[in-house]
Each structure stands twice: as C-alpha cells, then as structure tokens.
Amino acid sequence: MTEISRRGLLAAAAVGATGFGVAGLPEAAAAAPAIAVRPGDRRYDNLLRGNNHRFAGRPDEIRIASSTADVVRAVADAVRTGRRIAPRSGGHCFENFTADPAVRLLLDLSPLNRVGWDTAHRAHYVEPGATLGEVYRALFTGWGVTVPGGGCPEVGAGGHVAGGGYGPLSRRFGTVADHLYGVEVVVPAAGGARTVVATREPGDPHRDLWWAHTGAGGGSFGVVTRYLFRDLPPSPRTMLQHVLVWSWDGMTEAALTGLIRNFGAWHERHSAPGAPECGVYGVLEASHRTAGTVMLVAQTDADLPDAGGLTDRFVADVTAGTGLTPVLDLRTPIPWLHRMTWPGTGEPGDVLVRRYKVKAAYLRRAYSDDQLAAIWRHLTGAYGGSTSLIGYGGQANAVAPDATAIWQRSAVMKALCQAVWREEAHDDAMIAWTRDVYTDVFGAVPADGSYINYPDTDLPRAAYYGGNHARLRQIKTRYDARNVFRHGLSVEPL
C-alpha cells in the first residue's frame, strides 16, 4: 500500500478545513517542486513503461506530480513549449496513449493518491493516482462504502473513472460514472493552464466538463486531479464466489458453444434493472486449447436474500445440457475487501507477461450460431489467446444514453478477444490472431459499440462515443480547442 492507508483518512479533516483547495495540501507542500526525471537518470527506465510492454515512448522528461499545482505547472510548460503531454495514473492502457513516441512530457500522477471526504462539496474525493485497491480499502475502512468499479486492484482510478468504470457490483449499482458528482480538471489556457471544478449541478457553468468525464475516457480534455462522489453504495461484507474449471481434454464443439450460448441467454433473460439476478456477476473465459482450460466464475454478495440460490441457478443454467464435468468446482465465501484488494487479483502472475492485444465489444444478445462456430474455429487452431464474456446490464442500463457520456445503455454483456504473450518476436502473430477472431465474430465494427476503457485503435471513435460524439466534440472545443490532449481515440475539436 502507498501512503493512502496512513494518511488518506486523515486528509478528510484537512480538506474539511481548507475546502476544495489544491489537493487538500498545506501551502508549503503544494508549492514544493515536482520531480522531473530525464533520460540518463537511473530512475528513467524504471518509470517509463506502463503495463503493456508492447509500448514504450522516450519522452524528454517524466514529471512526477504530487499536487494540483504540480499538474498546472506541467500543463503550462507543455502549452508554452509546444510539447505533447500525456497524463498517466495506473499505466494500464491497452494501447499506446501514454507511450506514444510523440509524447515529450509524460505526467506521472501516481503520488496523487489520496482518498477522503470533502466537506465543502459533501462528497468523497478520489485522486487519480490512487489504484482501485487503494480506493476500495480507504472507502471501506473510513465509511463502509464503495464505488462499483473493476476487479483489478492495480488499475489507476484516473482513467478508470473517466471511462465510466464497471465491475462486479455494476449490475446492482450501475457504473462508477453514475455516482460521479464532480471533477477538478487542469485544462489548457492561453499561454498556460487553469484549474476548473465542474459538477453535475444544473446551474454549474462547467457542467458539460463534468459530463464529459462520465464515460468518454481520459486524455481528451485535460488532467483530472480529483474526482468527487456522492451516494456511494455500501460495501459488501462477503462475496460468495463459485469457480468452475473444465479441461480441454475431451472438450467438444457442442459442449463449449453450449456454455457460451447459455451464458448469453441467461444474461438476456436476467439483466433488467432491479431484477434479483442482477446480484450475480458472471465471467466466462474460454482460453485457446493449448492453454488447457475453460473457466466460469460467479460472484454474489453473500448478504443478498437467497444468495446461494441465485448462484446455484446461474451455474445450473449456464452448464445445462453441456455434459461437462469440471476438473475444479470450488465454492467459497471470501471477505469482500480481500477479494478486491489482494495484489494478485486480476494481474498476470509472471511479470514478464506484459505484451497483449485486446479487442472488445458490447453485446445486447447472445452469440449467433455463426459467431459460436467462429469462436470454436479460432480457439482450436494452431495458436491463439482467449475469448471472454462478462456480465453487464442491470442498473447500468437504468440511465439514459445522453445522461452521461456512456452511450451504450442497453448492453447485457461485454465481450473480449485477447492475446497475452512474452516475446516481441510473437507480436505480429498474436495481434493477427486477435484481429482475425474479432473480425470473424463481430465484423469490422461491433454493432453494439465498445467500451473506451478497453481501447482498440483498429476501431473508429463512433464505436465508443456513438450518439454522444457531437456533444463531446463541442465540449472539447470549449476547453481544449488546440488539441493539447490527444491520443489515438481522443475526442477531436470541431
């Protein structure tokens, strides 16, 4: 853990006294200069890479920001010198948005990791460098609440929240963005930079800037230095987790496609907002036959009425008619905080496994027979990655498409095609496999769009922003007409 566990809760008192100031820091701390790491510094290479080792730029400097004032100075420097700037919180971007060779100033936000209570706005605050695991621990320890975010504890809050954010509790409580009350953002200004606080209040003159951060992703409008949340749901105490694993030995096309078909059909039937079954979060991952396994995971808040029955019926419906016998069938209650913060959760076990390509899509219905046949064909070829289905819908679909920047408010699942490998020599083959299976299943562009936090530069922006794209471009023009903040899928000015 970083300093958040020691000082995150104490920061609430300081912010209560100072209001919504520069990251809630004393003036002396806020004025302390940021650290600038340049090529030749022994720290440079260690701070350079994100999670996906396919990408590594060579910026002129890595600016390490620990306050809003640091961010203002960094953005002002970039504007004044004409250098391309990119903010990075957790570094888990699937594409090269922060590792583009064109980026000359990489802004590392990891020290901006406090979580606390802002008295002036009557809201919890989360700084962008806090990892999800740190956010969950601080909110749980201090207030017994949470954000319905993702299950990988090392992901940074900065990009996760701006892209909408979802996870095991989203079918019950909606997306992370649905609880976002406000943002503090450093945006370009004439010859420099300025800080804007934007909230969802109807009379807020910067309300559009808040709206743009409810699902359009990071890196388009400026640098978020603080998120504000209201009406956060209670944290579960215990998650009931049921894991089934099947071997590829003896796996038949009928059995595997039956699992995938059943998973989709269950979510078609049980994803209306408020349905009891929205308490179940399911993930089905079918790895390539050379990896050896297919896995189904169900997670349910153990305190829900009939939690055991909901889980049993989900597993029974998904496995019905397949005739499969699992090599592992493990059902166990797990303390919620442990499940969501343990460092090994959701991360590759081998630190060398950091090269990957991911393509994603929203789904409003189960796969067709032709799509299932394509998945089987690619999973049984000479090599490959995996395909996954992730439960969605429920309360995430209780919001109008234009109420936030998340246009896709009718999907019941998210789909992934992905490959993870070690050696650079395998890049072309594994990227080609991922593209081939995706195109065979979804065509060039998925009909139901995709999720900006699973970015894929093969797709057009319309796949992510849909009917909200025109409004986002207007907001971009108002706050960053010179396109200071940009990447392969960023919102473009008019």
Side-chain angles (χ1 to χ4, degrees):
M1 294 291 292
T2 65
E3 289 181 300
I4 191 169
S5 58
R6 300 194 301 272
R7 71 181 180 182
L9 302 181
L10 297 177
V15 175
T18 63
F20 199 69
V22 179
L25 291 173
E27 286 186 14
I35 297 171
V37 177
R38 297 180 176 86
D41 190 307
R42 64 187 301 163
R43 298 167 292 181
Y44 183 83
D45 287 341
N46 285 274
L47 297 172
L48 188 63
R49 291 182 183 269
N51 185 262
N52 191 346
H53 283 195
R54 286 176 55 211
F55 308 114
R58 298 292 297 180
D60 300 331
E61 65 175 294
I62 303 171
R63 190 81 63 90
I64 303 173
S66 58
S67 69
T68 299
D70 285 345
V71 176
V72 171
R73 285 189 286 267
V75 175
D77 287 349
V79 170
R80 186 178 63 255
T81 60
R83 288 182 296 170
R84 177 92 166 265
I85 184 173
R88 183 181 70 189
S89 51
H92 281 69
C93 185
F94 292 172
E95 296 284 359
N96 71 335
F97 296 169
T98 62
D100 189 325
V103 171
R104 307 317 311 156
L105 197 163
L106 177 61
L107 184 57
D108 185 336
L109 302 173
S110 56
L112 269 171
N113 65 350
R114 287 167 289 269
V115 177
W117 177 258
D118 184 272
T119 302
H121 288 83
R122 294 175 289 110
H124 296 94
Y125 71 82
V126 172
E127 291 182 342
T131 65
L132 294 184
E134 291 170 342
V135 173
Y136 298 142
R137 182 175 295 276
L139 291 176
F140 179 86
T141 303
W143 298 273
V145 298
T146 192
V147 292
C152 296
E154 297 304 315
V155 168
H160 187 72
V161 177
Y166 84 102
L169 298 178
S170 290
R171 284 170 53 82
R172 290 176 63 197
F173 299 125
T175 72
V176 176
D178 296 337
H179 301 271
L180 186 65
Y181 172 74
V183 287
E184 179 185 69
V185 191
V186 177
V187 298
R194 63 190 177 111
T195 303
V196 177
V197 176
T199 72
R200 68 188 183 200
E201 296 293 344
D204 190 327
H206 298 291
R207 189 176 189 275
D208 271 353
L209 189 61
W210 158 81
W211 182 87
H213 286 88
T214 60
S220 281
F221 304 95
V223 182
V224 175
T225 51
R226 185 174 291 193
Y227 292 104
L228 291 169
F229 294 98
R230 284 187 179 176
D231 307 317
L232 291 179
S235 302
R237 293 186 298 179
T238 305
M239 295 295 281
L240 179 62
Q241 181 163 289
H242 196 153
V243 179
L244 295 97
V245 177
W246 296 275
S247 170
W248 266 94
D249 292 340
M251 180 67 69
T252 66
E253 182 174 3
L256 179 61
T257 57
L259 278 176
I260 300 172
R261 181 185 293 108
N262 290 346
F263 188 94
W266 188 92
H267 282 86
E268 283 189 38
R269 296 194 304 270
H270 299 301
S271 294
E277 291 83 2
C278 288
V280 179
Y281 173 72
V283 178
L284 178 63
E285 181 178 18
S287 299
H288 189 267
R289 63 176 179 82
T290 56
T293 60
V294 176
M295 180 173 65
L296 175 68
V297 179
Q299 294 178 28
T300 310
D301 184 340
D303 286 338
L304 285 176
D306 193 29
L310 288 169
T311 306
D312 287 342
R313 290 188 289 276
F314 170 77
V315 170
D317 287 353
V318 173
T319 59
T322 62
L324 291 170
T325 301
V327 295
L328 175 67
D329 187 344
L330 179 63
R331 177 168 166 161
T332 182
I334 302 175
W336 179 83
L337 189 63
H338 181 90
R339 172 65 185 81
M340 299 300 287
T341 62
W342 185 247
T345 304
E347 297 295 319
D350 185 338
V351 294
L352 297 177
V353 180
R354 281 290 191 269
R355 307 182 75 84
Y356 52 84
K357 174 67 177 178
V358 180
K359 297 176 73 68
Y362 282 106
L363 292 176
R364 291 185 294 172
R365 57 186 62 86
Y367 285 134
S368 68
D369 289 345
D370 287 344
Q371 289 174 308
L372 291 169
I375 290 171
W376 172 263
R377 183 169 63 255
H378 287 281
L379 291 179
T380 55
Y383 62 90
S386 66
T387 64
S388 301
L389 290 175
I390 304 168
Y392 194 62
Q395 195 62 27
N397 289 343
V399 178
D402 59 353
T404 67
I406 303 172
W407 175 253
Q408 301 86 356
R409 290 291 189 169
S410 58
V412 299
M413 292 175 289
K414 299 195 183 195
L416 297 178
C417 301
Q418 58 192 330
V420 183
W421 63 95
R422 297 176 186 233
E423 304 295 336
E424 184 177 357
H426 298 155
D427 282 7
D428 289 346
M430 299 308 290
I431 293 171
W433 181 90
T434 310
R435 286 173 172 163
D436 288 346
V437 63
Y438 188 86
T439 302
D440 283 356
V441 173
F442 298 107
V445 179
D448 299 322
S450 193
Y451 173 48
I452 191 60
N453 279 355
Y454 294 158
D456 171 18
T457 53
D458 296 342
L459 298 181
R461 289 172 172 82
Y464 298 98
Y465 305 130
N468 287 332
H469 196 185
R471 181 179 174 187
L472 287 169
R473 295 190 67 187
Q474 291 173 350
I475 299 168
K476 170 73 170 181
T477 304
R478 177 182 175 188
Y479 290 96
D480 184 19
R482 294 172 56 191
N483 208 21
V484 171
F485 291 95
R486 60 191 185 276
H487 55 68
L489 289 171
S490 59
V491 176
E492 331 94 291
L494 294 171

